[in-house]
Amino acid sequence: MENILILENVTKKYGSFEALKRTDIKLTNGIYAILGLNGAGKTTFINLLTDNIVRTSGSICYNGTEIKKLGSRYRNIIGYMPQEQGYYEEFSGREYLAYIAGLKGIKSKRKVVDAMLNQFNLSVKADIKIKNYSGGMKQRLMLAQALLNEPQILILDEPTTGLDPVERTRFKEYIRELSKEKIIMYCTHIISDITNLADKILIIKNGRIFEDTQVEMLRNNFDENDMMDFLS
């Protein structure tokens, strides 16, 4: 399925401060790396995409329909893996996914939860409390909850934090496969994640979004320090 998300003249102000300035962008299936320093406008951009905050002006349309009109139908096609993750530490992994599936109104949630546990190699530890999970297991659990509703738009904020090299490679392969049928927004500061994964780059500087299709510049001698200089 082809997904199209179009932002036209989208602005978000907090008082006189413009957190996001007159943004026009068209997003289709594929992986978009989102790059920006703290305070550049990344969080505002994500919150607008997830319809968690009210924009000051402009329109956001999904497949031709304003997301305000879609309401809960739009939220049902979004999966979000936040950087700051809230766990119910006393829940087991299975209980946590079942709880999120219930909140999302997913039918046959037991079947869906079992499939996600298997997909992310969590079945063996599914009934162990989350507080006893490793960092990598928690990251996989958070990705699993984001995918429970088979979203068409997937937003990942620093998704590979805590993953070992093998898990990171497996994760990226899985995301690449998903991107054939989804719009995936991938926020990260890990250059190696971007260079071998992203189709396009969205650079956010001082509340403005610049679209750069030239991923090659990140594949040649572009390290973390270069990135900081580039975004400043």
Side-chain angles (χ1 to χ4, degrees):
M1 175 182 176
E2 182 66 16
N3 299 285
I4 302 174
L5 191 65
I6 297 177
L7 287 74
E8 293 186 340
N9 197 33
V10 174
T11 297
K12 176 59 182 177
K13 292 183 179 180
Y14 296 97
S16 61
F17 174 69
E18 285 188 309
L20 197 69
K21 303 174 182 177
R22 297 174 293 284
T23 296
D24 295 288
I25 194 167
K26 178 180 178 180
L27 307 172
T28 57
N29 291 0
I31 300 172
Y32 296 81
I34 303 177
L35 306 179
L37 300 178
N38 290 338
K42 285 190 301 179
T43 300
T44 297
F45 180 53
I46 289 173
N47 282 331
L48 287 168
L49 290 180
T50 55
D51 200 29
N52 280 330
I53 59 175
V54 178
R55 73 197 84 126
T56 303
S57 64
S59 65
I60 302 177
C61 294
Y62 172 71
N63 287 354
T65 303
E66 166 63 54
I67 65 172
K68 290 180 180 178
K69 293 183 179 179
L70 291 172
S72 61
R73 287 179 292 161
Y74 175 70
R75 288 184 286 277
N76 286 338
I77 64 166
I78 290 179
Y80 181 35
M81 180 181 175
Q83 180 179 4
E84 297 296 329
Q85 300 159 1
Y87 301 106
Y88 295 92
E89 297 277 327
E90 294 299 319
F91 279 24
S92 69
R94 188 188 307 279
E95 289 170 337
Y96 178 71
L97 291 183
Y99 172 70
I100 298 299
L103 291 178
K104 293 185 177 184
I106 295 172
K107 298 178 180 179
S108 304
K109 66 180 181 180
R110 180 176 296 180
K111 181 179 179 181
V112 173
V113 166
D114 286 345
M116 284 292 104
L117 290 168
N118 182 65
Q119 175 66 51
F120 293 100
N121 299 316
L122 292 168
S123 295
V124 174
K125 301 287 183 70
D127 297 306
I128 293 176
K129 291 183 177 181
I130 295 173
K131 68 181 181 181
N132 295 317
Y133 279 15
S134 66
M137 290 174 65
K138 288 180 178 179
Q139 287 296 93
R140 282 182 274 146
L141 184 66
M142 289 305 292
L143 178 60
Q145 66 80 26
L147 291 168
L148 280 169
N149 57 323
E150 299 184 353
Q152 297 305 305
I153 300 170
L154 182 60
I155 299 173
L156 308 172
D157 198 354
E158 299 291 350
T160 60
T161 301
L163 300 184
D164 63 34
V166 174
E167 288 178 320
R168 182 174 285 126
T169 297
R170 186 184 299 119
F171 175 88
K172 290 192 292 184
E173 289 173 351
Y174 183 66
I175 293 302
R176 168 52 64 192
E177 186 64 26
L178 286 177
S179 70
K180 296 176 182 178
E181 297 183 349
K182 302 181 190 300
I183 297 171
I184 298 180
M185 313 298 290
Y186 195 107
C187 304
T188 185
H189 68 281
I190 301 173
I191 303 303
S192 59
D193 279 0
I194 300 169
T195 56
N196 298 315
L197 192 64
D199 297 307
K200 293 184 179 180
I201 302 169
L202 301 182
I203 299 165
I204 304 181
K205 299 175 70 171
N206 299 319
R208 294 190 182 278
I209 297 179
F210 304 90
E211 187 173 6
D212 186 355
T213 60
Q214 304 301 314
V215 184
E216 283 297 325
M217 71 174 186
L218 299 180
R219 293 181 176 150
N220 299 299
N221 303 315
F222 209 77
D223 61 20
E224 308 296 334
N225 291 328
D226 293 327
M227 175 61 72
M228 295 296 289
D229 291 340
F230 179 70
L231 294 174
S232 297

